């Protein structure tokens, strides 16, 4: 048995799946010889686990992620993408054929033709796209305190603010609302708050205010407010293809607070909204996150 025959047998047996799968690419022997029609596949049911795509600059990480997103969409699975460098937005348009692409796919043995995919552009800032927002009240005191990186005493004051707002039926929609309440409990409302909820230190409220201002300076005032996003909107099937949601983050690389705030909010909403389904044959929503190192 030749090396090619042995290689073909190993790959064919290794990537035979019981359920449905999607193609990652073709198998290559000795970095030169492409074995035609010998495809590397991933089972759809394994996508409820974490995976890692790593490599140096220019090795094809972004194109790999884009290819996975396109394959999953064609399987009727919705995909959530983070566009950090601005090079994923091209997924919204059908590609163009050219001789190099045709030659490559002929060698691989994968038929390819440009086609439409349902894509929505999303934004956390003033980038073009559907604006994603959430209210302060929806975060709750624990999560909001973590975002501000507060200590135990300061977190207790945040809990008092949320409790007072709940008791008074006062919704905390944005950071301006939170700052107004913070100023109220420190000044004219201090006696009322201390009578019902305990003493509040001005030094602590001053620190909290500075933390909120720091969050505002990173653009969080654009994110907090109404109308709140619904994570169920990320799951949609159009013409049999899964929706690809692309969050444009090109202007947020130097504002990690805003990005982390959004991710905490999104994961919290998903945990509270989506039902537990166990090991399904295929996922309904797949997250593909990119990180610059």
């Amino acid at each position: 048995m030749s090396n090619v025959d042995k290689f073909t047998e190993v790959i064919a047996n290794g990537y035979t799946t019981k359920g449905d799968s999607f193609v990652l690419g073709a198998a290559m022997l000795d970095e030169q010889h492409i074995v035609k029609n010998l495809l590397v596949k991933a089972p759809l049911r394994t996508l409820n686990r974490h995976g890692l795509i790593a490599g140096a600059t220019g090795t094809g990480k972004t194109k790999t992620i884009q290819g996975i997103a396109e394959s999953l969409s064609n399987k009727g699975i919705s995909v959530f993408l983070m566009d950090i460098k601005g090079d994923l937005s091209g997924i919204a348009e059908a590609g163009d054929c050219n001789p190099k692409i045709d030659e490559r796919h002929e060698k691989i043995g994968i038929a390819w033709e440009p086609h439409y995919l349902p894509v929505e552009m999303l934004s956390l800032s003033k980038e073009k796209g559907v604006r994603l927002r959430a209210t302060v009240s929806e975060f709750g005191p624990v999560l909001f305190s973590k975002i501000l990186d507060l200590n135990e005493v300061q977190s207790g004051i945040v809990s008092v603010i949320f409790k007072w707002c709940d008791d008074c039926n006062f919704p905390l929609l944005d950071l301006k609302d939170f700052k107004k309440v913070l100023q109220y409990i420190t000044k004219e409302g201090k006696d009322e708050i201390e009578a019902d909820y305990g003493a509040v230190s001005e030094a602590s409220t001053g620190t909290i205010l500075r933390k909120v201002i720091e969050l505002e300076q990173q653009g969080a005032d654009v994110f907090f407010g109404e109308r709140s996003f619904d994570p169920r909107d990320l799951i949609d099937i159009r013409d049999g293809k899964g929706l690809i949601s692309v969050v444009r983050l090109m202007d947020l690389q130097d504002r990690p607070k805003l990005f982390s705030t959004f991710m905490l909010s999104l994961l919290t909403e998903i945990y509270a909204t989506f039902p537990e389904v166990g090991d399904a044959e295929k996922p309904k929503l797949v997250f593909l996150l990119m990180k610059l190192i």
Side-chain angles (χ1 to χ4, degrees):
M1 182 180 292
S2 67
N3 289 338
V4 173
D5 291 335
K6 292 179 181 178
F7 179 73
T8 301
E9 182 180 354
V10 170
I11 296 298
N13 292 335
Y15 289 98
T16 299
T17 61
K18 294 181 180 179
D20 198 3
S21 61
F22 70 97
V23 175
L24 288 169
M28 179 179 288
L29 178 62
D30 298 329
E31 299 184 0
Q32 295 292 331
H33 183 73
I34 298 175
V35 183
K36 189 173 182 178
N37 297 319
L38 186 60
L39 304 179
V40 176
K41 298 176 289 186
L44 293 180
R45 67 180 305 153
T46 63
L47 291 176
N48 63 348
R49 295 164 176 83
H50 297 295
L52 174 65
I53 299 172
T57 300
T59 55
K61 299 185 297 298
T62 300
K63 288 300 179 183
T64 299
I65 289 175
Q66 185 171 327
I68 292 174
E70 292 174 353
S71 297
L72 295 180
S73 177
N74 287 324
K75 292 288 185 178
I77 299 172
S78 297
V79 181
F80 185 84
L81 286 174
M82 299 288 191
D83 192 3
I84 296 176
K85 297 184 291 182
D87 49 6
L88 283 175
S89 58
I91 200 171
E93 292 286 340
D96 296 322
C97 292
N98 65 59
K100 288 187 177 181
I101 293 178
D102 294 338
E103 179 185 358
R104 179 176 177 81
H105 280 272
E106 173 62 27
K107 289 181 179 180
I108 293 174
I110 302 176
W112 181 84
E113 62 179 23
H115 61 275
Y116 154 83
L117 293 170
V119 177
E120 282 193 359
M121 296 295 175
L122 310 176
S123 172
L124 300 178
S125 58
K126 295 181 180 179
E127 283 284 339
K128 293 181 180 179
V130 178
R131 186 69 54 78
L132 296 175
R133 309 194 79 184
T135 66
V136 174
S137 291
E138 289 171 331
F139 273 71
V142 176
L143 187 56
F144 193 69
S145 296
K146 286 184 177 180
I147 293 169
L148 297 177
D149 193 24
L150 303 179
N151 61 30
E152 186 176 348
V153 174
Q154 296 156 359
S155 298
I157 294 176
V158 171
S159 296
V160 168
I161 291 175
F162 274 78
K163 181 64 169 64
W164 181 82
C165 290
D166 286 341
D167 293 344
C168 297
N169 197 27
F170 181 80
L172 291 169
L173 301 182
D174 53 29
L175 294 179
K176 290 181 180 179
D177 289 342
F178 184 84
K179 288 195 299 182
K180 287 180 180 178
V181 175
L182 188 62
Q183 292 166 351
Y184 174 79
I185 68 171
T186 306
K187 297 180 181 179
E188 60 265 29
K190 184 176 182 179
D191 293 339
E192 174 191 347
I193 294 296
E194 291 187 352
D196 295 332
Y197 303 96
V200 174
S201 166
E202 289 191 26
S204 294
T205 57
T207 301
I208 297 171
L209 181 59
R210 288 191 293 272
K211 295 279 190 177
V212 173
I213 292 174
E214 177 187 346
L215 194 60
E216 283 181 319
Q217 289 175 334
Q218 294 210 13
D221 55 328
V222 178
F223 173 69
F224 283 106
E226 293 184 309
R227 177 173 177 256
S228 300
F229 71 87
D230 188 336
R232 289 172 293 191
D233 292 338
L234 300 176
I235 301 178
D236 193 11
I237 307 297
R238 302 176 185 176
D239 300 325
K241 299 175 181 178
L243 173 66
I244 299 177
S245 301
V246 181
V247 184
R248 297 165 58 83
L249 301 172
M250 291 81 75
D251 61 338
L252 298 185
Q253 296 185 38
D254 59 345
R255 290 185 282 173
K257 278 275 188 181
L258 178 54
F259 175 72
S260 61
T261 298
F262 163 70
M263 285 304 301
L264 284 171
S265 174
L266 177 60
L267 295 176
T268 300
E269 286 296 314
I270 287 177
Y271 181 79
T273 304
F274 292 165
E276 179 66 45
V277 295
D279 275 337
E281 287 300 317
K282 69 177 185 179
K284 292 183 178 180
L285 176 64
V286 172
F287 278 70
L288 297 175
L289 310 180
M290 295 183 65
K291 180 179 180 181
L292 292 176
I293 300 178

